[in-house]
Amino acid sequence: MNVTIRKIGNSEGVILPKELLRRYKLKAGDVVNLVDEGDKMSLQPSEDAFERQMREARKIMDRYSVALQKLAE
């Protein structure tokens, strides 16, 4: 997926597509980690975003625990 580096105020940045934000459950103000991997770089949700996602997942797992147990059989 290609994104363009844009001027944002006195800085520069990229605008992430809505589809990616939805997929990774990110929103404006969330912190992501930029990982430099030598010849490439990647953005990863920070631990705060991951923990928020896990809290939501646990709520769903608690709500549907019986159904999930049945599916696991």
Side-chain angles (χ1 to χ4, degrees):
M1 184 174 300
N2 291 327
V3 294
T4 303
I5 298 175
R6 300 175 187 250
K7 185 86 170 148
I8 303 173
N10 291 331
S11 300
E12 294 176 358
V14 294
I15 305 221
L16 301 176
K18 189 181 277 188
E19 174 188 323
L20 282 179
L21 296 173
R22 186 173 34 248
R23 182 182 312 159
Y24 292 102
K25 297 180 175 71
L26 294 170
K27 62 183 183 336
D30 285 348
V31 176
V32 294
N33 295 321
L34 175 63
V35 180
D36 182 0
E37 300 170 334
D39 61 341
K40 61 182 178 178
M41 62 180 147
S42 64
L43 290 177
Q44 299 174 351
S46 73
E47 290 302 313
D48 293 340
F50 177 76
E51 287 303 319
R52 182 173 47 81
Q53 292 171 13
M54 288 305 298
R55 276 194 305 276
E56 294 302 315
R58 286 186 192 102
K59 286 180 192 176
I60 292 169
M61 288 187 288
D62 288 343
R63 182 180 304 147
Y64 298 105
S65 62
V66 174
L68 290 171
Q69 288 172 355
K70 293 289 184 186
L71 287 171
E73 294 177 356

